[in-house]
Amino acid sequence: MSEETKAQLQHIKDGNDEAARFAERISSVRSGSIQLREIDSDDDIGIDRPYIQRQPDTQFQHDEAEYPGVVFEVACSQNTRDLRRAACTYIQYSNANIKAAAVGFELGYGTKKEARISMWKPRYLKDDEEGLETLDVEAVIDRDVRLEHV
């Protein structure tokens, strides 16, 4: 998936438009550290708590962004709930700056020949009474994949 993402970025970079200039400034980082922090959504100020450090398997980040826009996590023993929790951490603690976050690959191992692919994105829920928005996480892909030739 990471290689396909790189290929798509390269295709965009080959253009002559604003998207090409933007894509030119995106780089792929393998296993780099991300320091996430809780944000007070009312004023976008970091709350005085320790950072949460994560090391996704791959991340794609624009050179002017504080956080990567996309992170990949590959899990051999985690279950879907663990990957959803990771997605929530990446998205919520980056104040939704990680957009297509925590793309999770839950790999089948042993005699199991199935895998699961999941991807989450930020979703804002509006409270009708007060008109406030709450940051949540929504699965946009969550399905089993049958592995062939394993």
Side-chain angles (χ1 to χ4, degrees):
M1 191 70 161
S2 174
E3 294 305 315
E4 179 62 27
T5 303
K6 288 179 191 175
Q8 292 295 322
L9 272 173
Q10 187 57 53
H11 179 71
I12 295 168
K13 289 177 186 180
D14 291 341
N16 255 347
D17 56 3
E18 187 175 332
R21 290 185 292 280
F22 183 85
E24 190 64 43
R25 299 176 71 187
I26 297 173
S27 60
S28 168
V29 179
R30 283 183 146 323
S31 299
S33 266
I34 301 174
Q35 290 190 337
L36 301 165
R37 61 190 167 130
E38 190 171 357
I39 301 290
D40 181 341
S41 61
D42 291 336
D43 52 16
D44 290 341
I45 294 175
I47 295 174
D48 190 21
R49 291 195 186 141
Y51 284 94
I52 297 171
Q53 186 164 324
R54 295 286 186 255
Q55 291 183 297
D57 295 302
T58 303
Q59 55 188 304
F60 291 87
Q61 184 164 354
H62 189 274
D63 64 10
E64 290 185 8
E66 179 179 3
Y67 293 108
V70 176
V71 297
F72 291 113
E73 285 284 352
V74 178
C76 291
S77 60
Q78 291 174 304
N79 63 35
T80 304
R81 185 177 17 219
D82 292 337
L83 287 172
R84 185 183 194 292
R85 191 174 305 123
C88 287
T89 299
Y90 282 118
I91 291 171
Q92 291 178 331
Y93 284 77
S94 73
N95 200 27
N97 285 304
I98 296 176
K99 304 289 183 205
V103 177
F105 302 95
E106 188 182 343
L107 303 178
Y109 58 96
T111 59
K112 183 179 175 184
K113 294 190 180 194
E114 290 185 359
R116 183 170 202 81
I117 182 169
S118 304
M119 183 174 79
W120 293 270
K121 70 175 187 172
R123 176 177 65 172
Y124 290 93
L125 303 174
K126 193 165 192 162
D127 179 356
D128 289 336
E129 290 181 18
E130 296 183 29
L132 301 173
E133 289 186 337
T134 303
L135 177 58
D136 194 18
V137 176
E138 171 183 25
V140 290
I141 300 172
D142 190 17
R143 64 176 168 259
D144 291 330
V145 179
R146 176 97 173 128
L147 299 177
E148 301 294 329
H149 303 87
V150 178

